[in-house]
Amino acid sequence: MYLPQLLKKAATGEKLVALTCYDASFARILIEAGVDILLVGDSLGMTIQGHDTTLPVSMTDMVYHTGAVRRGAPGAFIMADLPFGSYQASPAQAFENAARLLAAGGNMVKLEGGAVMVDTVSYLTQRGVPVCAHLGLLPQSVNQTGYRAQAKDDVAARQLIADARTLDAAGASLLVLESIPARLAAEVSDSLQIPTIGIGAGLDCDGQVLVLNDLLGLTARPPRFAKDFMAGASSIKDAVARYVISVRNGEFPAPEHCF
Ligand code: KIV
């Protein structure tokens, strides 16, 4: 699938369902269960590699896992994270590394940050690289923020709205909103042309994303916004299908998953 088909789907009002995916076996199962976007997230630094943060993940790791996911799901829409240190230095550095992820099988890259990333988003999108921006809790900035909900006061909320609008205008095609108040995510989603994908950002985003390992109940201390869909499911595919249905019919996230 390519970006225009995905955006067409979002334009009909159907919620986009995304899930992280790191290998070929899961890629096949997730697509069979109805997931729209496979995110090769740099969360693999924690889920696969056992680090405390996403910071040690390298471009070599991301290329390897993106290739594996592509081989497992040849027709899927695959978003791949640009890891920490692979894009912040300059737009040219970002393009060089984004090109490696697209060559490995990605359809789109995701990068973290607000106004500081506008030139990079514009540079990439003018050169054939679809970009998903990411605001709110930025795991690659954990050393500055820790892992906690963001944009809870009015000044930070206004800044996030301004950043979202600028990234939209710069050419981003999707925006991930992580761990922000649900009413702020609703306001951002209303005010943008592009679809928003929430994780800990309430029900009113245009789609949802979760970390696969959280959904499967494999995480020792899951974040508040996660739900274990394995509970009561008959198989991994059934658990993922329950997530897909819950997002599409507006049952997930529930109030207890929101800020
Ligand atoms: O890497 C990842 O899993 C992510 C999600 C938290 C959106 O970026």
Side-chain angles (χ1 to χ4, degrees), residues 119-185:
D119 287 347
T120 298
V121 170
S122 166
Y123 190 94
L124 292 177
T125 54
Q126 285 173 35
R127 287 164 177 77
V129 181
V131 175
C132 175
H134 184 154
L135 293 175
L137 174 60
L138 307 178
Q140 294 177 7
S141 300
V142 63
N143 283 309
Q144 290 173 315
T145 62
Y147 290 113
R148 56 168 193 233
Q150 299 294 306
K152 286 167 95 175
D153 64 60
D154 201 48
V155 173
R158 295 298 119 204
Q159 182 61 55
L160 190 141
I161 292 171
D163 283 350
R165 289 194 176 134
T166 326
L167 290 162
D168 181 352
S173 300
L174 293 174
L175 172 64
V176 165
L177 294 171
E178 180 166 355
S179 295
I180 62 169
R183 69 186 139 62
L184 173 60

Side-chain angles (χ1 to χ4, degrees), residues 20 22 39-44 54 81 110 112 134 139 176 178 199 209 211:
T20 67
Y22 316 109
L39 168 60
V40 187
D42 60 355
S43 51
L44 69 85
T54 60
D81 268 339
K110 179 165 77 60
E112 299 181 9
H134 184 154
V176 165
E178 180 166 355
I199 175 162
V209 60
V211 169

